[in-house]
Amino acid sequence: MSFMRGNLLEKSRKLVKGLAMAEPVWLKEMEREPPVTFPRSENKLKPIILPEDDYVNKFFKKHTDSKLVDSINISGFDPPPARVFAWRVLELKEQGRAEEDAMAVADMEYRADKKAKRKAYRRLKEIAKLQGKKRPPNPFPSAVREIQAEEKNYIRDRFFDPQTLRVLNKLKQDRLQGMADRRGFI
């Protein structure tokens, strides 16, 4: 009934009138005292616009690879680099700098921060290699690799989970039984 417009009363009337449904017992009572209808909103939701949104969009236009490399961690506390960039531009503009200068300074800081993180990670890898330890986690993981790392445990579980193994064995036995039955009938 979701394809029809109107409330339950109108939908039921249409179905009864079109002989698609027998008249329900409650229809006459409901027609006598129809349910309360609440006024609806205009269905026009205004988008939430933050002051830094323009600068976030400019950041993504300039650094298109950032959408793929700098993943947004929803459960984390660190804001994405695009927001940090935009906040820095707004901060510099409040201090009286021109927009182009503020964007250039924020971009330079973003690149320097990214370069410093890469250099520190490279150094940590060298230290771990010299000490014979496992590599430290990558500070620039891709979103796809993060998801794959989370799913890795579930993929391993399907081979060792007793309940899954029972279901698999039952499916194998059913298949073998079906094949044996087919051979016997031929």
Side-chain angles (χ1 to χ4, degrees), residues 1 3-22 24 27 31:
M1 290 199 306
F3 58 88
M4 284 193 258
R5 293 189 182 272
N7 57 19
L8 178 65
L9 181 61
E10 291 174 12
K11 289 179 182 182
S12 300
R13 275 189 205 146
K14 288 177 185 177
L15 289 172
V16 169
K17 187 177 178 183
L19 301 175
M21 168 175 128
L27 186 62
E31 286 175 343

Side-chain angles (χ1 to χ4, degrees), residues 15-176:
L15 289 172
V16 169
K17 187 177 178 183
L19 301 175
M21 168 175 128
E23 184 174 335
V25 179
W26 48 264
L27 186 62
K28 288 191 180 191
E29 289 295 323
M30 192 178 244
E31 286 175 343
R32 209 174 321 141
E33 290 185 35
V36 179
T37 56
F38 297 101
R40 293 188 175 220
S41 64
E42 297 176 1
N43 290 338
K44 293 182 180 176
L45 299 175
K46 296 179 181 176
I48 299 172
I49 299 172
L50 299 174
E52 69 262 15
D53 284 348
D54 292 335
Y55 299 113
V56 169
N57 292 334
K58 288 178 183 178
F59 176 85
F60 283 132
K61 283 180 185 173
K62 189 167 189 174
H63 303 282
T64 54
D65 61 329
S66 179
K67 288 182 182 179
L68 304 172
V69 176
D70 301 325
S71 61
I72 297 172
N73 190 0
I74 294 173
S75 63
F77 294 102
D78 296 330
R83 288 275 169 213
V84 173
F85 172 84
W87 292 336
R88 183 67 177 141
V89 170
L90 289 175
E91 181 184 330
L92 291 170
K93 278 182 68 178
E94 285 177 4
Q95 293 174 1
R97 295 238 179 146
E99 183 177 351
E100 295 83 25
D101 293 341
M103 285 183 61
V105 169
D107 186 51
M108 189 173 57
E109 289 174 358
Y110 166 73
R111 289 175 191 252
D113 183 47
K114 199 169 183 179
K115 188 176 181 181
K117 282 183 181 179
R118 283 195 179 135
K119 188 175 181 182
Y121 178 63
R122 200 176 307 123
R123 182 67 184 136
L124 283 173
K125 281 196 315 188
E126 289 173 3
I127 292 171
K129 188 175 182 181
L130 289 174
Q131 293 176 348
K133 294 183 179 177
K134 198 168 95 172
R135 288 193 323 177
N138 188 356
F140 297 107
S142 72
V144 174
R145 286 190 180 156
E146 283 184 4
I147 292 169
Q148 287 174 345
E150 289 175 12
E151 291 175 346
K152 197 173 191 178
N153 296 332
Y154 298 114
I155 291 170
R156 279 196 203 126
D157 278 353
R158 69 179 178 180
F159 297 114
F160 303 110
D161 184 32
Q163 186 176 2
T164 307
L165 292 174
R166 270 187 257 126
V167 170
L168 267 172
N169 288 332
K170 186 170 180 358
L171 287 172
K172 284 179 184 177
Q173 289 173 357
D174 290 346
R175 194 176 89 211
L176 290 173

